[in-house]
Amino acid sequence: MGRLVICDHPLIQHKVTIIRDKTTNTKHFRELVDEVAMLMGYELTRDLPLEEVTVETPVSKAAGKTIAGRMVGLIPILRAGLGMVDGVLQLLPSAKVGHVGMYRDEETLQPVEYYVSLPTDVTERELIVIDPMLATGGSANAAISLLKKRGCRPTKLMCLIAAPEGVKAVQEAHPDVDIYLAALDEKLNEQGYIVPGLGDAGDRLYGTK
Ligand code: PRP
Ligand code: URA
């Protein structure tokens, strides 16, 4: 079973509360999603390998550690996943970004794939799939499956808010993927929205509807 990590640093909890608020405007919403993604990046990068190095301080030699470098790829699920990419890139500036376009059919709640574009060396990278909302888990599962079918290694799924139903669905379908969340909510409603959630993440990020 993959790990479930709730990134509940006070700064993240504070910002997620404002993100949820329906009176938060599009500009502020977008900025906060970006900031939370960056803060979650600390937890996401906790297992980066280090190597020992020596530097010369003005006083003497000092043993230290630097990041050994790991080939990482970020895979936002369009559209809403795009809102979290820049925040993570601030911490992992050499990560490459692939895009998977997926929307949820409003009636069936089934994911519909409409676009895939991946870096040429994607199979050599450890991939982080990014989407602010994990509701039924259909979109995340479809994205992870399509990456695996192409010989890729998706190891982490990063979301802002999840419903327990979505977490369970991903853990069952992809027990090799760790899930990182800012908040685990109560349930899904009859329309497949996360309760209390934040509404439609794509619409709130881009001011549509
Ligand atoms: C939202 C969200 C996820 C999906 C989650 O995307 O960003 O991709 O729904 O729901 P699920 O877990 O039940 O699949 P949406 O379909 O609204 O598309 P958008 O990002 O283009 O707005
Ligand atoms: N997609 C969203 O954007 N919000 C939800 O609550 C569920 C799916």
Side-chain angles (χ1 to χ4, degrees):
M1 177 75 70
R3 288 191 313 141
L4 174 63
V5 181
I6 313 281
C7 306
D8 59 356
H9 188 285
L11 286 172
I12 295 179
Q13 293 192 52
H14 173 87
K15 289 173 195 291
V16 168
T17 302
I18 303 170
I19 285 171
R20 289 183 190 277
D21 188 334
K22 67 178 181 187
T23 67
T24 298
N25 68 27
T26 303
K27 174 177 180 286
H28 198 192
F29 185 94
R30 216 168 25 233
E31 289 166 356
L32 288 163
V33 169
D34 183 56
E35 289 167 15
V36 170
M38 199 263 280
L39 293 170
M40 287 181 74
Y42 279 99
E43 221 31 75
L44 240 93
T45 51
R46 194 173 275 286
D47 60 355
L48 281 180
L50 293 167
E51 62 189 5
E52 296 191 358
V53 294
T54 306
V55 293
E56 295 259 359
T57 76
V59 181
S60 72
K61 285 191 173 168
K65 292 182 180 177
T66 57
I67 291 173
R70 178 178 281 177
M71 301 267 281
V72 174
L74 308 181
I75 312 288
I77 302 180
L78 307 181
R79 266 174 320 167
L82 279 181
M84 297 175 75
V85 171
D86 286 349
V88 182
L89 280 175
Q90 285 189 54
L91 300 183
L92 293 171
S94 54
K96 288 193 179 172
V97 182
H99 298 87
V100 172
M102 199 81 79
Y103 71 86
R104 230 173 41 147
D105 182 290
E106 284 182 11
E107 298 293 319
T108 65
L109 301 184
Q110 292 305 304
V112 182
E113 177 191 317
Y114 62 89
Y115 184 73
V116 181
S117 170
L118 301 172
T120 46
D121 61 356
V122 69
T123 54
E124 293 158 39
R125 292 177 179 266
E126 188 178 315
L127 302 182
I128 303 172
V129 176
I130 302 177
D131 193 326
M133 308 308 276
L134 180 61
T136 65
S139 304
N141 271 344
I144 294 167
S145 293
L146 88 81
L147 291 168
K148 286 183 176 173
K149 268 193 206 127
R150 290 169 184 238
C152 303
R153 264 187 313 132
T155 57
K156 292 176 182 159
L157 170 66
M158 173 191 194
C159 306
L160 273 191
I161 298 179
E165 295 89 330
V167 170
K168 184 165 179 275
V170 174
Q171 286 179 330
E172 283 175 4
H174 300 291
D176 50 340
V177 173
D178 293 333
I179 303 173
Y180 290 77
L181 307 175
L184 179 60
D185 276 10
E186 194 188 322
K187 61 177 183 183
L188 290 179
N189 69 13
E190 279 162 15
Q191 290 75 43
Y193 275 84
I194 300 174
V195 181
L198 53 71
D200 187 300
D203 286 342
R204 293 201 62 195
L205 272 169
Y206 299 112
T208 45
K209 279 206 182 135

